[in-house]
Amino acid sequence: MNAAEENLPEMPDPEPHKDSSPDASDVPPPQPSRSTRLPPVEPPDDADPDDLNVRRALAADLLQIGAVSLRPDDPFTWSSGMKSPIYCDNRVTLGYPRIRTAIRDGFHHIVQHLDPGPDVVAGTATAGIPHAAWLADRLDLPMAYVRGEAKSHGRKNRIEGVVRRGQTVVLVEDLISTGGSALSAVEALQTAGAHVLAVVAIFSYELMAAASAFQDRDVACHTLTDFSTLIDVARRENDLPEAAFDSLSEWRRDPQAWSDARKAD
């Protein structure tokens, strides 16, 4: 074990992630969904997630390591029962120091441009916790995390760590699908008296349901990369036949109709 690994913060015991994700029984161990060639975009020097090349580079990394899998001909089943041609498991990034550092630096760039800045960095349980910890360490700020639901024993906390009334908070999430888990955590922080400046996430499926939910709650959401960027990268690499990209585009336009058509097959 090297010195950097020795200094990593201890992670709490896992608990279920509440957003719409594939049923574990339907998800094989992560495998790279693209070729083993080098990513089509050189790793950028700047961490600015508003830079398209930065977003492409991270999308290429997620595909390369199997954190995102594209399977339009053999769809995944989400816990809601919806069929999906894409599966994102950003926990895989924990095993890749360069990629997780790029994620931390991307979040840091976003937070540095918030005014006012945060008093606390919070993560969603469980996948947002390690990235929140690394970001809090970079910013030298307190860190907390928000459970999917309050514990049924002990102090029955939903928020672990110290978040005081009136403090400003940035919430770190790994994935935005419907936005449900992130906004539930936002509500818990607001109930505790905190002011949530923004949600930051690694990847977004860019579903309209999520965009509407964040807009309705007047909560800013920033992501490091997204579905459109990832599909652009995959197309550049010619990793899938053109018909597969057509199917992915159909899913992006209307996920429910795409899912219903596959259930009927």
Side-chain angles (χ1 to χ4, degrees):
M1 179 180 296
N2 59 39
E5 290 171 330
E6 290 177 347
N7 291 328
L8 289 177
E10 292 184 3
M11 295 296 107
D13 293 337
E15 60 182 68
H17 188 48
K18 295 298 183 182
D19 212 343
S20 299
S21 56
D23 190 321
S25 63
D26 293 325
V27 180
Q31 297 291 330
S33 61
R34 67 198 296 271
S35 69
T36 56
R37 290 171 293 178
L38 291 174
V41 182
E42 288 295 321
D45 295 327
D46 190 0
D48 182 2
D50 290 329
D51 184 329
L52 180 57
N53 282 336
V54 174
R55 299 180 74 84
R56 283 174 175 166
L58 180 56
D61 281 337
L62 296 180
L63 284 166
Q64 187 77 33
I65 66 175
V68 177
S69 299
L70 301 175
R71 213 169 68 184
D73 293 333
D74 183 18
F76 299 98
T77 301
W78 289 6
S79 59
S80 62
M82 182 181 287
K83 298 286 186 180
S84 171
I86 184 171
Y87 171 56
C88 180
D89 180 7
N90 284 320
R91 293 171 178 85
V92 176
T93 64
L94 304 185
Y96 296 85
R98 178 185 64 79
I99 296 173
R100 72 184 190 224
T101 297
I103 290 168
R104 182 205 64 186
D105 291 348
F107 287 155
H108 180 260
H109 191 282
I110 292 170
V111 172
Q112 289 292 93
H113 288 78
L114 295 178
D115 186 17
D119 299 313
V120 179
V121 176
T124 56
T126 58
I129 292 174
H131 297 288
W134 288 315
L135 176 60
D137 186 64
R138 174 75 185 269
L139 293 166
D140 194 25
L141 289 176
M143 181 259 177
Y145 72 91
V146 185
R147 296 178 179 274
E149 57 188 23
K151 291 192 298 186
S152 60
H153 58 280
R155 298 173 66 182
K156 300 184 178 180
N157 291 342
R158 184 169 180 198
I159 299 173
E160 301 289 359
V162 179
V163 178
R164 296 186 174 88
R165 183 169 297 277
Q167 286 188 313
T168 53
V169 179
V170 165
L171 180 68
V172 178
E173 175 69 288
D174 73 314
L175 169 68
I176 301 296
S177 59
T178 65
S181 66
L183 288 171
S184 175
V186 167
E187 183 178 5
L189 290 163
Q190 291 172 336
T191 299
H195 173 53
V196 179
L197 300 174
V199 173
V200 296
I202 300 170
F203 184 81
S204 170
Y205 289 134
E206 295 185 292
L207 301 182
M208 288 303 300
S212 298
F214 279 99
Q215 183 175 10
D216 290 346
R217 295 287 298 276
D218 194 25
V219 175
C221 180
H222 306 277
T223 63
L224 300 184
T225 193
D226 52 38
F227 180 83
S228 298
T229 305
L230 183 130
I231 296 306
D232 175 57
V233 169
R235 191 186 294 273
R236 287 164 180 259
E237 279 289 290
N238 296 315
D239 282 335
L240 294 170
E242 193 60 32
F245 290 110
D246 292 341
S247 182
L248 287 160
S249 295
E250 290 173 9
W251 177 81
R252 170 70 180 82
R253 285 192 295 271
D254 192 338
Q256 189 62 60
W258 193 96
S259 173
D260 291 345
R262 272 69 188 173
K263 289 179 181 178
D265 291 344

